[in-house]
Amino acid sequence: MMRLTHFAPAFLCNLAYAVGNILSVGRRGKKPSISTLDTVFIYVLVETGLDLTKLAAVIHRSESVVKSAVDRVRGPINVVLRRTWFENRRRHVPDLGSSEPQVAIATDAVPFAVGKPHVRFEESKIYWDQHHGLYALKKEVSVLCNPPHYCVFAFPGFVGSRHDFAEYSQNAEARYAEYLKKTQAEITAFPQFPSLYWLQILDSGYMGDAHTNFGRVVLRKPSSMRDQQERDCNAERARIRVVVEQFFGRLKKLWGITVTPYRFDHTHFDVDVDNAILLTNEHIAAGNHL
């Protein structure tokens, strides 16, 4: 099971128990033909990229029954995982040996292929991500800079043609200011950092005024640096920011649904991709290796 789902049976059993509690509220009618535990197992296999048609054939169920089972649990799984990771987000603990100890989170947008939508060209072209050369929905994701490098934010998808900075600058203050504001305990624990906010680090594509109260560290383009000292500083900041890229790498290695063109209805996109992101957190928390 570990090889197929990336998780020990105990984790899947605990997840199925929590999902079952949600599904049991107000339940009426005929009992589902596939148990909650088996359905959670099936859903995680679908997240790994296993084809629904092939999966149905292996377990000797119709594709419609398996699809219905997946539809039944994707929402409750999301509720359970969000309770763990997003309702009480992990806080930044500064690395006093770092050159940028106040940088709390690294943020970037990641594209997920969706295939060309079957609509008129004028409607489909908004999904075209020119930078990556594919039809995509993108998600803005933020990862803790201190280990373990958990994802602490994953926002709703936006169309591939929209620039990452446009999405970020329109929403940054509302999305991040409350989290980045230091608690009284943090102010007391780290008096050497008198500012009211922790910092956020982004790549050079986020240059510009985002109208935020909190501070941002934005990587510079090589052409804008004048001397070796500035290049060294930028390189160190890039080393700090790389954790978000590493998180994306783990995400896409674990969950095939984030690599191949998304094949379900787009109304399920955010839940399925968020579940993959949050399951990646669980994979990190379990100390599992790729």
Side-chain angles (χ1 to χ4, degrees), residues 215-235:
R216 301 182 306 128
V217 175
V218 181
L219 298 187
R220 295 172 60 182
K221 296 179 179 179
S223 59
S224 70
M225 290 178 279
R226 295 167 296 182
D227 54 38
Q228 188 60 44
Q229 183 177 359
E230 289 186 350
R231 285 189 286 273
D232 290 344
C233 177
N234 206 58

Side-chain angles (χ1 to χ4, degrees), residues 4 21 29 36 39 79 90 95 130 140 153 199 238 259 281:
L4 292 173
N21 286 339
T36 300
T39 304
V79 170
R90 275 59 174 177
D95 176 4
Q130 183 68 37
E140 185 177 293
F153 288 99
L199 303 178
V259 178
N281 275 358

Side-chain angles (χ1 to χ4, degrees), residues 80-212:
V80 172
L81 294 174
R82 290 180 75 89
R83 283 175 183 167
T84 301
W85 297 104
F86 285 173
E87 288 190 7
N88 187 25
R89 291 182 171 89
R90 275 59 174 177
R91 299 290 298 171
H92 173 56
V93 179
D95 176 4
L96 300 183
S98 168
S99 61
E100 300 279 358
Q102 293 207 73
V103 174
I105 55 175
T107 299
D108 203 358
V110 57
F112 299 95
V114 295
K116 184 178 179 181
H118 298 293
V119 293
R120 293 166 55 244
F121 173 73
E122 289 75 12
E123 298 171 27
S124 67
K125 66 181 181 181
I126 64 170
Y127 289 89
W128 181 251
D129 180 350
Q130 183 68 37
H131 181 68
H132 296 97
L134 74 165
Y135 289 96
L137 286 169
K138 298 190 284 189
K139 288 182 76 71
E140 185 177 293
V141 173
S142 294
V143 173
L144 275 176
C145 288
N146 59 279
H149 304 292
Y150 296 129
C151 172
V152 288
F153 288 99
F155 293 104
F158 57 99
V159 292
S161 63
R162 182 167 168 80
H163 195 283
D164 298 353
F165 182 70
E167 175 71 14
Y168 172 82
S169 61
Q170 182 176 330
N171 301 290
E173 182 69 18
R175 288 177 172 178
Y176 298 113
E178 182 179 358
Y179 175 80
L180 289 172
K181 189 172 184 178
K182 295 175 184 176
T183 65
Q184 187 56 53
E186 289 167 345
I187 292 172
T188 302
F190 303 103
Q192 65 270 51
F193 308 130
S195 62
L196 294 178
Y197 293 89
W198 299 117
L199 303 178
Q200 180 180 37
I201 193 165
L202 309 104
D203 70 22
S204 58
Y206 290 82
M207 283 285 187
D209 189 353
H211 308 288
T212 59

Side-chain angles (χ1 to χ4, degrees), residues 259-272:
V259 178
T260 57
Y262 184 74
R263 57 188 180 273
F264 296 104
D265 189 284
H266 287 186
T267 57
H268 300 309
F269 172 81
D270 279 316
V271 171
D272 284 340

